């Protein structure tokens, strides 16, 4: 009998109840955000194959240094062009989602 009486005198019981109610109130908002993110994830187009491509210089052993430099510079230019294209695609995609 005494233990039951003392259990009801917990000074933090109202604080715990308030925290539980606040947490329960956040559940619908969290679920709505999760639904939005899931919808965005399903709506994203496939990543372009061109953005996955890798570039090699094609320099072979025995190439003259000037030819090797030209090949390397061309490969670097292709890679930089690909980066610009993919970044533009991503920026455009992200702009459409943000609206």
């Amino acid at each position: 009998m005494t233990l039951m009486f003392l259990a009801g005198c917990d000074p933090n019981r109202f604080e715990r109840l308030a925290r539980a109610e606040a947490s329960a109130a956040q559940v619908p908002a969290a679920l709505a955000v999760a639904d939005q993110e899931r919808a965005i994830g399903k709506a994203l187009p496939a990543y372009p194959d061109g953005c996955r491509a890798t570039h090699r210089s094609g320099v072979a052993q025995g190439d003259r240094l000037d030819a090797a430099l030209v090949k390397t510079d061309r490969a670097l230019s292709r890679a930089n062009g690909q980066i610009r294209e993919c970044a533009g695609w991503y920026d455009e995609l992200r702009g459409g989602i943000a609206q």
Side-chain angles (χ1 to χ4, degrees), residues 16-88:
R16 276 197 304 256
L17 179 63
R19 270 188 291 188
E21 288 175 355
S23 295
Q26 294 172 347
V27 169
L31 290 174
V33 169
D35 287 340
Q36 288 174 347
E37 288 179 357
R38 194 174 313 120
I40 289 170
K42 288 180 182 177
L44 288 177
Y47 197 64
D49 289 335
C51 292
R52 296 184 192 280
T54 57
H55 301 275
R56 296 190 154 271
S57 66
V59 175
Q61 188 172 359
D63 282 351
R64 291 182 14 202
L65 290 180
D66 59 342
L69 179 61
V70 169
K71 288 180 179 180
T72 302
D73 190 44
R74 287 181 181 166
L76 183 60
S77 293
R78 286 192 306 270
N80 285 336
Q82 176 184 330
I83 290 169
R84 281 191 298 275
E85 272 187 47
C86 294

